[in-house]
Amino acid sequence: MTEPQLWQDVDDYFTGLLAPPDDALTDALNDSDAAGLPHINVAPPQGKLLHLLAVIQGATRILEIGTLGGYSTIWLARALPEDGHLITLEYSERHAEVARRNLARAGLDKITEVRVGPALDSLTKLADEGDGNPAPFDLVFIDADKVNNPRYVEWAVKLTRPGSLIILDNVVRGGAVTDPTSDDPSVRGTREALDLFATHPKLTATAIQTVGSKGYDGFALARVLP
């Protein structure tokens, strides 16, 4: 058995045991496929991890940068209380339409908000809300274009509070993240973001490698310090 097949089998086992799909999650993936969205959503065990982190955090406000079809959004939003709120930022109007349908089907449209446009523009507007003092987010999940990862991390620090969590997805880049000479913009953006995680005075962080149905990848997790 090849390693990728073994990774898939283990993921299938974990998913069936610990993160079994339901109609809303399955329909979200099927609708995303039907709309031609890329197959880059988080795997079910990773979605369950996001959910558990939000629950453990006691999150009432969540920011997601990169919506796609709303699959990870569903996992995160299900961790919120009835008066909670999740804002998710998506560049593509077509993707956002799919996500809104999926969130409505899951019964989460009242506590979620999909904002469309370049994320850096949306983040600037978000920072201007509340007379320039928006309520802080308890958790930020970054899973968008990797070139702007450093800017997203900087914004995440500005829009959170001490004790908030920041999760950065897809940080391994197939192992290329270790190459300081890489000219791949996604690798360079990821390395710069990880450097921020390592050196920012308001962050303490770690990074984890993963294997599974999404191949060889990983994520970084940071906590905002006082």
Side-chain angles (χ1 to χ4, degrees):
M1 182 182 295
T2 64
E3 282 188 347
Q5 183 58 56
L6 180 60
W7 300 344
Q8 178 70 67
D9 290 347
V10 173
D11 249 17
D12 290 345
Y13 170 65
F14 285 163
T15 297
L17 188 66
L18 301 170
D22 54 43
D23 289 345
L25 290 168
T26 299
D27 289 344
L29 292 178
N30 289 339
D31 278 10
S32 296
D33 286 344
L37 273 60
H39 295 172
I40 54 174
N41 53 275
V42 301
Q46 296 161 344
K48 185 66 174 289
L49 175 62
L50 292 173
H51 175 82
L52 289 174
L53 287 171
V55 170
I56 293 167
Q57 183 71 356
T60 61
R61 281 177 56 80
I62 294 174
L63 174 64
E64 179 182 50
I65 304 175
T67 314
L68 197 60
Y71 181 76
S72 57
T73 320
I74 293 173
W75 278 110
L76 287 166
R78 284 177 168 177
L80 290 170
E82 290 184 1
D83 60 346
H85 191 57
L86 182 151
I87 296 174
T88 181
L89 311 180
E90 172 55 46
Y91 178 81
S92 166
E93 178 62 51
R94 185 168 65 88
H95 293 184
E97 290 175 1
V98 174
R100 290 189 183 107
R101 289 198 302 269
N102 288 331
L103 291 166
R105 184 191 298 113
L108 298 167
D109 50 317
K110 298 296 190 297
I111 61 171
T112 58
E113 179 184 355
V114 183
R115 300 190 181 186
V116 180
L120 292 177
D121 292 346
S122 297
L123 289 164
T124 300
K125 294 175 183 176
L126 182 57
D128 289 336
E129 296 178 0
D131 294 326
N133 188 30
F137 292 96
D138 306 302
L139 184 149
V140 178
F141 178 48
I142 303 171
D143 188 14
D145 61 294
K146 312 310 173 185
V147 174
N148 283 311
N149 271 343
R151 268 65 67 188
Y152 297 149
V153 170
E154 290 168 350
W155 272 113
V157 174
K158 293 176 183 177
L159 294 170
T160 50
R161 57 169 178 79
S164 293
L165 297 181
I166 303 171
I167 305 157
L168 179 66
D169 203 12
N170 307 128
V171 298
V172 171
R173 316 307 305 166
V177 72
T178 63
D179 182 4
T181 66
S182 175
D183 58 3
D184 183 328
S186 293
V187 172
R188 294 177 68 87
T190 299
R191 284 179 60 90
E192 290 175 24
L194 289 170
D195 286 344
L196 273 175
F197 269 21
T199 61
H200 198 292
K202 289 189 175 182
L203 296 177
T204 180
T206 190
I208 301 294
Q209 302 179 79
T210 62
V211 295
S213 60
K214 299 298 178 180
Y216 177 37
D217 209 334
F219 65 92
L221 173 67
R223 185 173 187 267
V224 181
L225 299 171

